[in-house]
Amino acid sequence: MVKNKNLKFSLKFSKRWRFISALVVVCLLTFNFSWVATAAAKHYTDLQFTPVSEIKLPKYERFVLDNGLVVYLMEDHELPLVSGTTLVRTGSRWEPGDKVGLADVVGSLMRTGGTLKHSPDQLNEILEQRAAAVETNISEAAGSASFDSLTEDLETVFGLFAEVLREPAFAQEKLDLIKTQAKGGIARRNDDPSSIASREFRKLIYGQDSPYARTVEYATLDKINREDALKFYQQYFYPNNMILGIVGDFNPKKMRSLIQAQLGDWKPNSKISQTQLPQVSPANLGGVFFVNQPQLTQSNILIGHLGGKFDNPDYAVLDVMNGVLNGFGGRLFNEVRSRQGLAYTVYGSWSPRFDYPGMFIAGGQTRSDATVQFVKALQTEIKRIQTQRVTAKELNHAKESTLNSFVFNFQDPSQTLSRLMRYEYYGYPADFLFRYQKAVIATTTADVQRVARKYLQPENLVTLVVGNQTSIKPPLTQLATKVTPIDVSIPGSQTQAQK
């Protein structure tokens, strides 16, 4: 009996991957042909792009179950596969400040801890036999649960998916394992200078106690127990607090019936209300900060300040401004990397978020002795885009790059469906992306200069350098009379104990 099951699995698996392998070969052949054709061009600026064709959303169905569960269905019969995702209105930004890491623990434990009907090993075995997957996660602003299945196994896999959502067991031994693994991550978090820079910069912008910047520590993990995980789950996981999206090779009528059978009797929480978002304000208005890493031969640099949201009426123009600054042909690449030879990588971007302010952030990596010059070059370019109007060539390049990349938002139906779900989750209109496209097309050189003057704040730029203090010459005091050191030693570690 076992041999027959294994044989069935092998046949299904091999059929699936033979098809995918064939696609890869075709893609490689196409790539090689395209590369040869492109290689004949003298310069990338000589390339001629055809106008972007009109993009239309694939057909989809949206309905709401009696218990409040919002459902999106989008058919795609290209492959015998079905995938689904549930968005849950939760997130780590609502976990208690003394138990940072709780949401991530819950997101992992829901899947790895098994269900009331299937142990973790049983759940893994059933899914592996069908080359299927069920995963769960809780990020900063949302929870999610997903599944991937062959069409013929949909009923079984969707049933397990529903179990994980509705009846997680929160096995104690798996909770202990998750916490042990998380502690391993804490111990290694200073191994990568880029990660140090990203983590500490968020603290400088949002504040170290902000839900958008705080970090998991040994002490916060130690305070998390099974009751905390169960309570967090029970606070948010209800059908009237979720959006379910399914895309793939299915019969809509049968899919509706399956959803109703597995999730329709799940009782809603009539008292659940939208949790108030944490307040956001800038933690620093300027300043130079430094993390000393003596082993480094180059500096990781970030400068920036608090930014805005996607629903800002100027978002599209700000994105065009990003195009003027970034990439091949962008001002930062041309000036800081190509002309001055200061950077291995360099970038600058207005990076919004859906429902809380993002950041304007610029930076890159450079050799230690070029650190001060690199920071000054970034500052100069940020001021220049405010004072020197972009040329028509710069504007057209930025707009064409943005518009030609627009098609990649619709590479496959699952990507489109995911975007629709996110827009509903955050309260954005379904045609938000098309409104953005029209606004990009209408952007002028005057618009770019206007938003640069309005939103960029050179006087409030926070500067963070992660590098080797003895090798940075001239010193950072050339940027500011006061340079504030940041201690990144890990609380509770041996290094911290020795300090």
Side-chain angles (χ1 to χ4, degrees):
M1 185 65 180
V2 175
K3 290 183 178 179
N4 289 336
K5 285 185 177 180
N6 290 337
L7 178 59
K8 181 182 177 183
F9 166 72
S10 298
L11 288 172
K12 285 190 292 188
F13 191 84
S14 62
K15 286 179 181 178
R16 180 178 179 184
W17 286 103
R18 279 203 303 270
F19 182 85
I20 293 174
S21 297
L23 283 178
V24 171
V25 172
V26 172
C27 290
L28 287 173
L29 290 173
T30 304
F31 170 79
N32 287 335
F33 175 78
S34 301
W35 182 85
V36 172
T38 304
K42 294 181 179 179
H43 194 267
Y44 73 90
T45 55
D46 296 328
L47 295 175
Q48 299 296 318
F49 298 100
T50 57
V52 178
S53 58
E54 183 180 359
I55 298 173
K56 296 182 180 180
L57 291 178
K59 291 183 179 180
Y60 66 93
E61 180 183 7
R62 180 192 180 279
F63 58 92
V64 183
L65 299 187
D66 292 340
N67 59 12
L69 178 66
V70 176
V71 181
Y72 283 84
L73 297 181
M74 185 177 287
E75 295 179 68
D76 178 18
H77 300 287
E78 185 175 355
L79 294 172
L81 305 171
V82 181
S83 63
T85 299
T86 295
L87 291 180
V88 186
R89 298 186 190 280
T90 182
S92 63
R93 55 186 174 182
W94 290 303
E95 65 193 359
D98 63 340
K99 296 181 181 180
V100 177
L102 174 59
D104 189 51
V105 167
V106 174
S108 299
L109 190 57
M110 282 182 65
R111 168 62 180 86
T112 61
T115 71
L116 299 181
K117 296 176 182 176
H118 294 92
S119 70
D121 289 342
Q122 288 173 333
L123 189 61
N124 291 337
E125 182 179 0
I126 295 171
L127 292 171
E128 287 171 5
Q129 287 176 344
R130 290 162 176 79
V134 173
E135 302 295 340
T136 57
N137 176 64
I138 298 179
S139 62
E140 176 184 83
S144 67
S146 62
F147 73 88
D148 292 285
S149 171
L150 292 168
T151 302
E152 62 186 270
D153 296 320
L154 176 59
E155 188 170 341
T156 298
V157 175
F158 189 80
L160 296 174
F161 168 75
E163 274 186 41
V164 170
L165 267 179
R166 300 182 61 173
E167 302 175 324
F170 292 104
Q172 181 65 50
E173 65 273 17
K174 296 298 182 181
L175 171 60
D176 295 338
L177 176 60
I178 289 170
K179 290 172 65 174
T180 299
Q181 292 171 335
K183 289 180 178 181
I186 293 174
R188 297 187 299 272
R189 74 183 183 193
N190 288 334
D191 292 352
D192 179 15
S194 295
S195 296
I196 296 174
S198 177
R199 182 185 72 235
E200 297 303 321
F201 191 74
R202 291 182 70 85
K203 292 180 183 179
L204 293 173
I205 299 299
Y206 294 106
Q208 64 179 4
D209 295 324
S210 167
Y212 301 112
R214 59 194 181 191
T215 55
V216 183
E217 303 291 354
Y218 294 124
T220 63
L221 277 177
D222 286 338
K223 292 181 180 180
I224 297 171
N225 56 41
R226 184 179 181 277
E227 288 69 30
D228 295 321
L230 187 60
K231 182 179 178 181
F232 190 92
Y233 165 82
Q234 292 173 339
Q235 186 174 355
Y236 299 105
F237 282 76
Y238 295 95
N240 56 325
N241 202 38
M242 299 179 179
I243 302 172
L244 170 65
I246 299 176
V247 62
D249 180 37
F250 58 79
N251 178 289
K253 185 176 180 180
K254 291 182 178 179
M255 193 70 246
R256 268 179 169 264
S257 298
L258 183 59
I259 294 170
Q260 182 63 44
Q262 294 290 347
L263 300 173
D265 64 342
W266 192 0
K267 292 184 180 180
N269 183 353
S270 59
K271 296 182 180 180
I272 201 166
S273 58
Q274 189 168 357
T275 309
Q276 186 174 359
L277 295 175
Q279 293 294 314
V280 174
S281 59
N284 290 283
L285 295 175
V288 177
F289 301 83
F290 179 68
V291 177
N292 188 29
Q293 296 287 281
Q295 77 280 10
L296 297 182
T297 58
Q298 66 179 38
S299 294
N300 285 260
I301 300 163
L302 292 175
I303 70 173
H305 54 68
L306 197 64
K309 300 191 295 182
F310 283 111
D311 60 2
N312 186 319
D314 287 325
Y315 162 58
V317 182
L318 286 161
D319 212 26
V320 174
M321 181 191 74
N322 287 347
V324 173
L325 288 173
N326 289 293
F328 291 103
R331 287 187 175 185
L332 291 175
F333 187 94
N334 289 346
E335 178 63 23
V336 181
R337 178 183 166 116
S338 297
R339 196 185 74 80
Q340 297 188 42
L342 293 175
Y344 305 118
T345 59
V346 61
Y347 54 86
S349 178
W350 181 269
S351 301
R353 294 293 181 266
F354 278 105
D355 60 0
Y356 73 93
M359 296 183 284
F360 169 71
I361 186 167
Q365 291 82 46
T366 189
R367 64 186 188 274
S368 297
D369 63 356
T371 301
V372 170
Q373 189 179 354
F374 179 84
V375 173
K376 289 182 176 180
L378 287 179
Q379 294 171 341
T380 297
E381 290 306 309
I382 291 170
K383 292 176 182 177
R384 186 164 76 92
I385 202 168
Q386 292 183 310
T387 58
Q388 181 180 322
R389 180 175 292 195
V390 301
T391 65
K393 183 177 180 180
E394 286 179 310
L395 179 71
N396 291 335
H397 173 75
K399 289 171 66 172
E400 286 176 7
S401 298
T402 302
L403 293 172
N404 284 324
S405 67
F406 186 76
V407 66
F408 295 111
N409 294 296
F410 304 91
Q411 292 183 90
D412 58 69
S414 62
Q415 189 179 28
T416 303
L417 183 60
S418 175
R419 186 176 293 277
L420 288 171
M421 292 171 63
R422 288 202 307 276
Y423 287 160
E424 174 156 352
Y425 182 90
Y426 290 107
Y428 282 63
D431 65 342
F432 174 77
L433 198 60
F434 293 97
R435 298 184 187 186
Y436 158 81
Q437 183 188 35
K438 291 179 180 178
V440 169
I441 293 172
T443 298
T444 66
T445 56
D447 289 330
V448 174
Q449 189 174 44
R450 174 181 61 81
V451 299
R453 288 176 172 175
K454 182 176 181 179
Y455 296 102
L456 300 185
Q457 304 166 26
E459 69 282 3
N460 292 333
L461 286 171
V462 174
T463 301
L464 173 65
V465 177
V466 179
N468 183 339
Q469 186 172 18
T470 60
S471 299
I472 296 177
K473 296 178 181 178
L476 295 179
T477 49
Q478 293 235 338
L479 298 173
T481 54
K482 179 184 178 181
V483 177
T484 305
I486 296 176
D487 180 9
V488 295
S489 61
I490 301 167
S493 67
Q494 291 183 354
T495 303
Q496 177 74 10
Q498 293 169 1
K499 291 181 71 68

